[in-house]
Amino acid sequence: QEGRCLYVILLMALYWCTEALPLAVTALLPIVLFPFLGILPSNKVCPQYFLDTNFLFLSGLIMASAIEEWNLHRRIALRVLMLVGVQPARLILGMMLTTSFLSMWLSNTASTAMMLPIANAILKSLFGEKDTSKDMNRENEENQASLQQNKLYTVPTEMQFLASTEDKDLTEEKEVASDAVSDLKKEEEYKTNIWKGFLISIPYAASIGGTATLTGTAPNLILLGQLKSYFPECDVVNFGSWFMFAFPLMLIFLLLGWLWISILYGGINLRGWRTKKSNIRVDAEARAREVIKEDYQKLGPTKFAEQAIFFLFCMFAIMLFSRDPKFIPGWASFFAPGFISDAVTGIAIVIVLFFFPSQKPSFKWWFDLKAPNTETQPLLTWRKAQETVPWNIILLLGGGFAMAKGCEESGLSVWIGGRLHPLEGVPPPVAVILITIVIALFTEFASNTATIIIFLPVLAELAIRLKVNPLYLMIPGTIGCSYAFMLPVSTPPNSIAFSSGHLMVKDMARTGLLMNLMGVLLLSLAMNTWAKSIFQLGTFPAWANIHAENATSLLTAVENVTLSAL
């Protein structure tokens, strides 16, 4: 039976990695294959597609739809950019902070898709229209040819945009010295680097920000679902405890990532802190400031709907965090133990979106008999939710939970654990680093959701073999699969940024290599410091001990069946 289950998992892994079928369609295979192959009956497979973890994720997706519907995310983004300033390093920091914050609640892809147009508008105000690298090279060659033939320098299109005033007719030819030409070349190189730094920082911030909350990215919820499947007694991972662990890690990684990107792409010049800015840069920054201010003013005054959604969003976050924060009793302690979960909290807030009015209600209506009886539009309609919620991710989560259930029921996870004897001598801190590196490399070429679905059962059994808290290995594996920075195909945010045409693969590879390394080291630091007190990682917990005893008895049964068959 475990062999048949392994066949299904390998088949699904192959389809997920090659995308021979859509990811969500591949996730439906257990519904067909598990019953046919005698692994699990359908009445045990199908419920895995709508566990309470799926409803927690669904509540986050619906809240994100409401935020996007009323442009609250754009108002927040522009406001942050107005506060941080328009110097390139500060703008990159503002972009990364805003993208990561949005990515904690929206999907990484939606955060990136929203922030890139804002970044492009600011960059155009700083540097003018930007062509692809091929067009730029051709333009530079034409300028050089003109310079050699006429001994005159023709100002490039971008610089023309920057240097233009009321009179845009630059037909007069001006002689420039060779040092002026070199200055313009440096300015062009500086401009290209800053443009790349802007574009590459947004998808990286989205990937980092998604790790900070349980609802931020699908792998976090897959961890929660598989924990409930493998270790039903485990109750230490919830929205509050995860936030306390992952949010500081996100902030540290975001700050170090910003420093690395700013230094690499010229946003921070280590050699010239006191170098005076050129007039071109000063004028460009003034224009960028105006563009941000103008975009913000176009949004108009804050609407009642935006205020209502912001209030409900804050309630959503606060109630999830305070339900059971572990260090103090949460509000769920007023109810029967085990009855209130994060899914109950999320769905309760989200339901309000569908009947709360989007316009300020008038109490005069009750006393005015002649007032028209017009229908009030709610903050979010079901039709809008149907169109904007990515339902395929819900099915993908369900496929992961069904796979985990199949591994557990068939004895495959125990069989895998029995093959991990050579790793029993590895010190746990070394195991954390190795696991993070392997998963971070694997997820460069495969979907992070598919990656974590495949690896989590193995990590759970490895932890049992090493006699360490399973969370000590499963959490680094989960977060590590979000650290995909080196290739455009690694994540949808990377692909979106790369499709702009201004980045090359080598840009992502050289920037992402150090980002991956920093992520591995910071994650190892976090797991061996503050995570130990939050998740009680220093001891082998009772809930894991129960699983280990069950696994041992199941392994004995499997061996007896095998021997009798032989």
Side-chain angles (χ1 to χ4, degrees), residues 32-260:
V32 179
L33 296 180
F34 279 1
F36 270 125
L37 296 176
I39 299 167
L40 273 181
S42 62
N43 62 355
K44 285 190 176 182
V45 180
C46 294
Q48 303 303 314
Y49 287 80
F50 278 96
L51 298 175
D52 63 340
T53 308
N54 297 69
F55 282 98
L56 172 61
F57 192 46
L58 179 62
S59 67
L61 294 174
I62 293 175
M63 178 60 73
S65 296
I67 291 171
E68 292 176 24
E69 169 72 6
W70 294 100
N71 262 338
L72 179 60
H73 59 323
R74 188 173 181 85
R75 186 179 292 277
I76 292 171
L78 291 171
R79 190 65 185 169
V80 170
L81 293 177
M82 288 172 67
L83 291 174
V84 297
V86 293
Q87 289 81 6
R90 289 187 180 184
L91 271 178
I92 290 174
L93 177 61
M95 286 285 176
M96 294 184 74
L97 286 173
T98 309
T99 307
S100 60
F101 173 76
L102 293 175
S103 184
M104 287 165 58
W105 314 102
L106 312 181
S107 73
N108 298 355
T109 308
S111 304
T112 305
M114 194 278 291
M115 290 301 294
L116 276 175
I118 296 175
N120 276 319
I122 295 170
L123 287 166
K124 285 174 184 176
S125 67
L126 281 169
F127 304 125
E129 292 291 338
K130 186 88 166 74
D131 300 322
T132 58
S133 56
K134 290 182 180 178
D135 293 337
M136 277 189 54
N137 291 336
R138 186 169 63 250
E139 183 182 16
N140 289 338
E141 289 171 5
E142 290 172 358
N143 289 332
Q144 290 297 325
S146 173
L147 180 64
Q148 291 173 1
Q149 289 175 8
N150 304 323
K151 296 184 179 179
L152 297 170
Y153 185 78
T154 305
V155 182
T157 305
E158 290 88 347
M159 302 312 301
Q160 185 174 347
F161 180 91
L162 290 168
S164 62
T165 57
E166 293 290 331
D167 181 16
K168 293 186 178 179
D169 185 11
L170 296 179
T171 55
E172 296 181 5
E173 298 175 340
K174 300 177 182 180
E175 287 192 357
V176 292
S178 58
D179 57 342
V181 176
S182 64
D183 288 344
L184 285 168
K185 284 182 179 178
K186 287 179 182 176
E187 196 73 20
E188 181 73 20
E189 184 180 353
Y190 167 80
K191 173 188 63 176
T192 303
N193 283 336
I194 292 295
W195 198 294
K196 288 180 178 180
F198 262 73
L199 295 180
I200 211 166
S201 67
I202 292 172
Y204 287 4
S207 296
I208 296 169
T211 62
T213 60
L214 268 181
T215 56
T217 186
N220 300 353
L221 286 164
I222 290 170
L223 168 68
L224 183 62
Q226 295 209 8
L227 276 175
K228 289 180 179 179
S229 177
Y230 282 111
F231 311 106
E233 301 298 318
C234 175
D235 63 345
V236 295
V237 177
N238 58 40
F239 191 93
S241 61
W242 182 272
F243 187 82
M244 289 173 58
F245 157 69
F247 186 70
L249 174 63
M250 182 208 78
L251 285 181
I252 297 170
F253 194 10
L254 203 67
L255 179 62
L256 292 177
W258 166 69
L259 286 172
W260 166 236

Side-chain angles (χ1 to χ4, degrees), residues 2 230 406-421 457-458 460-462 464-465 547-559:
E2 63 267 23
Y230 282 111
C407 285
E408 182 188 4
E409 294 283 338
S410 68
L412 176 61
S413 58
V414 177
W415 181 85
I416 292 173
R419 301 297 180 274
L420 297 177
H421 290 297
V458 179
E461 290 302 327
L462 177 59
I464 299 296
R465 289 285 169 182
H547 178 83
E549 291 169 3
N550 293 340
T552 304
S553 60
L554 183 60
L555 183 60
T556 306
V558 169
E559 288 174 349

Side-chain angles (χ1 to χ4, degrees), residues 232-528:
E233 301 298 318
C234 175
D235 63 345
V236 295
V237 177
N238 58 40
F239 191 93
S241 61
W242 182 272
F243 187 82
M244 289 173 58
F245 157 69
F247 186 70
L249 174 63
M250 182 208 78
L251 285 181
I252 297 170
F253 194 10
L254 203 67
L255 179 62
L256 292 177
W258 166 69
L259 286 172
W260 166 236
I261 291 171
S262 297
I263 292 169
L264 184 63
Y265 291 103
I268 295 177
N269 187 359
L270 296 177
R271 297 178 183 177
W273 284 99
R274 299 181 182 178
T275 305
K276 187 179 178 181
K277 289 182 188 175
S278 66
N279 291 331
I280 290 176
R281 291 188 192 177
V282 172
D283 293 342
E285 288 175 4
R287 269 196 299 278
R289 193 179 294 109
E290 287 301 316
V291 165
I292 297 171
K293 189 176 179 182
E294 183 182 346
D295 280 356
Y296 187 79
Q297 289 173 346
K298 283 179 183 177
L299 295 174
T302 307
K303 303 178 185 70
F304 175 77
E306 292 179 70
Q307 295 173 349
I309 286 177
F310 183 72
F311 174 76
L312 290 172
F313 167 71
C314 292
M315 287 293 296
F316 180 81
I318 291 169
M319 289 186 69
L320 281 173
F321 180 79
S322 60
R323 181 186 68 84
D324 186 18
K326 297 302 178 186
F327 61 93
I328 55 170
W331 59 264
S333 60
F334 295 109
F335 300 90
F339 275 67
I340 306 295
S341 68
D342 285 336
V344 177
T345 311
I347 294 294
I349 297 293
V350 158
I351 287 174
V352 179
L353 295 171
F354 293 99
F355 66 81
F356 199 88
S358 59
Q359 295 179 353
K360 192 174 182 179
S362 174
F363 292 103
K364 292 180 181 179
W365 181 87
W366 295 97
F367 307 102
D368 186 1
L369 298 177
K370 296 181 181 180
N373 191 14
T374 55
E375 186 179 353
T376 305
Q377 183 185 2
L379 291 173
L380 186 66
T381 62
W382 183 248
R383 181 182 294 275
K384 188 65 181 178
Q386 277 184 311
E387 293 172 355
T388 54
V389 170
W391 302 98
N392 58 321
I393 304 296
I394 306 271
L395 293 177
L396 196 57
L397 283 178
F401 300 150
M403 182 187 286
K405 192 69 174 175
C407 285
E408 182 188 4
E409 294 283 338
S410 68
L412 176 61
S413 58
V414 177
W415 181 85
I416 292 173
R419 301 297 180 274
L420 297 177
H421 290 297
L423 298 177
E424 289 182 8
V426 178
V430 176
V432 168
I433 294 177
L434 291 177
I435 286 165
T436 313
I437 290 173
V438 169
I439 290 180
L441 289 175
F442 191 88
T443 196
E444 294 287 350
F445 305 96
S447 158
N448 56 359
T449 308
T451 300
I452 201 60
I453 288 172
I454 295 166
F455 276 94
L456 273 183
V458 179
L459 298 180
E461 290 302 327
L462 177 59
I464 299 296
R465 289 285 169 182
L466 294 177
K467 289 293 179 185
V468 298
N469 191 317
L471 294 175
Y472 189 69
L473 301 185
M474 295 173 80
I475 290 176
T478 302
I479 293 184
C481 76
S482 293
Y483 291 168
F485 304 114
M486 291 179 62
L487 295 173
V489 297
S490 303
T491 63
N494 288 11
S495 302
I496 293 171
F498 186 77
S499 66
S500 65
H502 309 312
L503 291 171
M504 292 184 284
V505 175
K506 68 177 182 180
D507 296 323
M508 279 196 165
R510 68 170 181 162
T511 313
L513 181 62
L514 189 62
M515 290 289 289
N516 274 22
L517 183 60
M518 282 194 296
V520 168
L521 296 177
L522 285 174
L523 189 51
S524 176
L525 174 67
M527 292 306 298
N528 291 289

